[in-house]
Amino acid sequence: MRIAMIGSGYVGLVSGACLADFGHEVVCIDKDPDKIEALNQGRMPIYEPGLDALVAENVRQKRLTFSTDLKPAVAQAQAVFIAVGTPSRRGDGFADLSYVYAAAREIAEALTGYAVVVTKSTVPVGTGDEVERILREARPDLDVGVASNPEFLREGAAIGDFKRPDRIVIGAEDARAAAVMQEVYRPLYLNQAPILLTGRRTAELTKYAANAFLATKITFINEIADLCEQVGANVQEVARGIGLDNRIGSKFLHAGPGYGGSCFPKDTLALVKTAQDYGTPVRIVETVVAVNDQRKRAMARKVIAACGGSVRGKRVALLGLTFKPNTDDMRDAPSLSIIAGLQDAGARIVAYDPEGMEQARPLLQGVAYAEDAYGCAEGADALVIVTEWNAFRALDLARLKGLMAAPVLVDLRNVYAPTEVERHGFAYSGIGIA
């Protein structure tokens, strides 16, 4: 099939490359000429394991191309995916749909025959209806279908998630559009990936409900971790004890400094705003949003407590800046709030991240950056593990102790066993471990 992907950010680029790998002819469109030029030269705008090789191979096979020119790509396409950003709108927290609607208007002008316009971006309930209205208002003559096909990609594992999905959700209001979408995903038939056909509004809400539920699991175990610290229990064992129940499951039950990234913060907030608009507030999700915001700042207080109650004039080393490992994404990363809290308390911050430092520099003021974990720890009064990169899982503790001014390790991801760290002479502080 011929596919146009409007937007070459995280979702658009990964989806476009994977669809091309299935054998479709895909053109990824973006308004940023620098991004398109970089992609045409083989340089990725994001870090995602395996993406550069996947893109290179499908460009070589002439199945994947990049352009700033929307019109010819859309004119020939059987399916046009809208994969532009939907950030939280400044001031009120609603999803900003201006990019989605602008794309719909441009698509309307470019279409020449029947095609299905697909919202791949995460959008509130009813967005597909508005996209269809825009298309038909701009071109009453159009023969067009409109579908919703939300993405469920985990940063750091997106290619595997796209090619071996738990499910494919397709929201369409007519059989013709649904048939085109099933053909798009027909290459996954051999993988027996379940396709769930729903109405458009149901598909849109499914995405928000999924992210809100996962964010709730994270926040739940974080609150249980706080209780564990007070009553003398171990949150890792509690998580295992409840996660072995098949009704609950073990995923997203890892206590830490709170969730961040490009999806959970904005999607939980957008769901809250949508529910309020419809007069059916989602109180649980409202609480999740509030608790998670408070938690990130609380992690700075945890570091201060581990340093004896004050970090004024002290050098605090942070390992990991991105919101999770295997990505360079700094959006709503817990490290941002933690660093702000520590700097407010007078600490001097040095940081190291395997992939995120270039993205972090514009967001952080007064932070020194190290070449590696050991350079980061040198002369530090405390070492804080913020992101659980694999490179931080087997550090030489004896070497670290020799480098640091004070042997204090604050493990916000519970990477290390307390007894092992303490055996090397460190004062250890973890999450949910009394």
Side-chain angles (χ1 to χ4, degrees):
M1 297 182 72
R2 293 182 301 279
I3 294 171
M5 186 70 63
I6 313 302
S8 298
Y10 187 85
V11 172
L13 184 55
V14 172
S15 301
C18 288
L19 288 170
D21 209 47
F22 291 165
H24 300 307
E25 294 178 25
V26 181
V27 183
C28 287
I29 312 295
D30 203 279
K31 285 186 175 297
D32 183 347
D34 293 336
K35 181 187 288 186
I36 294 300
E37 183 181 354
L39 284 166
N40 280 323
Q41 293 176 4
R43 299 196 311 273
M44 299 300 105
I46 56 170
Y47 174 74
E48 176 66 30
L51 183 60
D52 51 354
L54 186 72
V55 168
E57 175 60 18
N58 283 283
V59 167
R60 189 179 71 81
Q61 297 285 355
K62 296 182 169 49
R63 292 191 296 259
L64 179 63
T65 55
F66 304 99
S67 176
T68 56
D69 194 355
L70 177 145
K71 204 159 191 174
V74 169
Q76 299 176 34
Q78 295 155 284
V80 182
F81 286 80
I82 299 176
V84 297
T86 54
S88 292
R89 197 163 62 192
R90 190 182 298 275
D92 62 9
F94 283 86
D96 183 351
L97 299 175
S98 57
Y99 303 110
V100 173
Y101 296 151
R105 293 184 189 96
E106 286 192 57
I107 290 165
E109 296 303 318
L111 286 170
T112 57
Y114 181 78
V116 179
V117 176
V118 191
T119 50
K120 193 72 174 167
S121 305
T122 300
V123 295
V125 175
T127 302
D129 298 352
E130 181 63 13
V131 167
E132 183 165 13
R133 189 197 66 76
I134 288 169
L135 291 168
R136 298 197 185 284
E137 182 180 73
R139 294 272 304 280
D141 60 309
L142 273 184
D143 186 14
V144 66
V146 177
S148 171
N149 176 218
E151 54 86 15
F152 299 99
L153 306 178
R154 294 169 299 159
E155 292 191 41
I159 293 169
D161 286 349
F162 196 99
K163 292 187 172 186
R164 294 174 293 280
D166 294 329
R167 76 292 201 196
I168 299 160
V169 176
I170 295 170
E173 301 302 321
D174 64 272
R176 191 178 178 193
V180 170
M181 291 304 297
Q182 285 179 294
E183 184 63 20
V184 168
Y185 287 104
R186 186 176 56 81
L188 288 176
Y189 172 76
L190 290 177
N191 291 355
Q192 296 184 316
I195 293 180
L196 177 64
L197 288 173
T198 73
R200 266 197 320 247
R201 287 180 166 236
T202 299
E204 290 165 345
L205 186 54
T206 298
K207 167 65 175 180
Y208 277 108
N211 278 356
F213 189 84
L214 296 175
T216 301
K217 283 188 78 173
I218 293 169
T219 305
F220 172 81
I221 202 63
N222 283 342
E223 292 206 310
I224 294 296
D226 290 345
L227 180 58
C228 284
E229 290 177 15
Q230 297 304 314
V231 303
N234 185 311
V235 73
Q236 290 174 299
E237 293 171 5
V238 171
R240 181 166 169 76
I242 64 176
L244 287 169
D245 185 328
N246 289 331
R247 295 168 301 173
I248 297 172
S250 61
K251 292 183 178 178
F252 289 83
L253 286 180
H254 302 287
Y259 61 76
S262 61
C263 294
F264 286 4
K266 74 177 182 65
D267 292 352
T268 49
L269 192 55
L271 180 60
V272 164
K273 297 298 183 181
T274 298
Q276 289 172 350
D277 267 4
Y278 282 88
T280 55
V282 282
R283 301 292 190 206
I284 291 173
V285 185
E286 288 177 10
T287 303
V288 165
V289 171
V291 169
N292 189 68
D293 285 345
Q294 294 159 11
R295 183 166 190 81
K296 296 175 187 178
R297 188 79 176 192
M299 293 299 100
R301 296 194 293 274
K302 187 176 187 69
V303 175
I304 293 167
C307 292
S310 174
V311 291
R312 186 158 302 282
K314 291 184 177 179
R315 181 180 173 94
V316 179
L318 267 66
L319 295 183
L321 294 169
T322 55
F323 86 96
K324 65 182 288 189
N326 295 323
T327 179
D328 61 355
D329 198 339
M330 286 294 301
R331 284 174 286 186
D332 280 298
S335 62
L336 300 174
S337 296
I338 294 168
I339 288 171
L342 291 172
Q343 287 178 328
D344 288 349
R348 294 179 291 114
I349 306 296
V350 59
Y352 169 70
D353 188 282
E355 294 292 340
M357 291 193 290
E358 185 178 337
Q359 302 291 334
R361 287 178 199 275
L363 305 175
L364 296 168
Q365 303 298 318
V367 173
Y369 295 93
E371 293 293 321
D372 59 22
Y374 298 102
C376 189
E378 190 168 354
D381 295 286
L383 182 67
V384 186
I385 298 175
V386 181
T387 312
E388 68 278 32
W389 285 89
N390 284 337
F392 304 151
R393 291 183 178 276
L395 295 170
D396 184 336
L397 296 176
R399 182 182 173 190
L400 283 176
K401 186 171 185 291
L403 288 168
M404 294 175 65
V408 176
L409 177 62
V410 183
D411 186 356
L412 299 182
R413 298 290 183 172
N414 290 343
V415 172
Y416 288 90
T419 52
E420 174 69 7
V421 176
E422 288 164 356
R423 187 172 65 81
H424 282 84
F426 279 86
Y428 178 87
S429 178
I431 299 287
I433 302 171

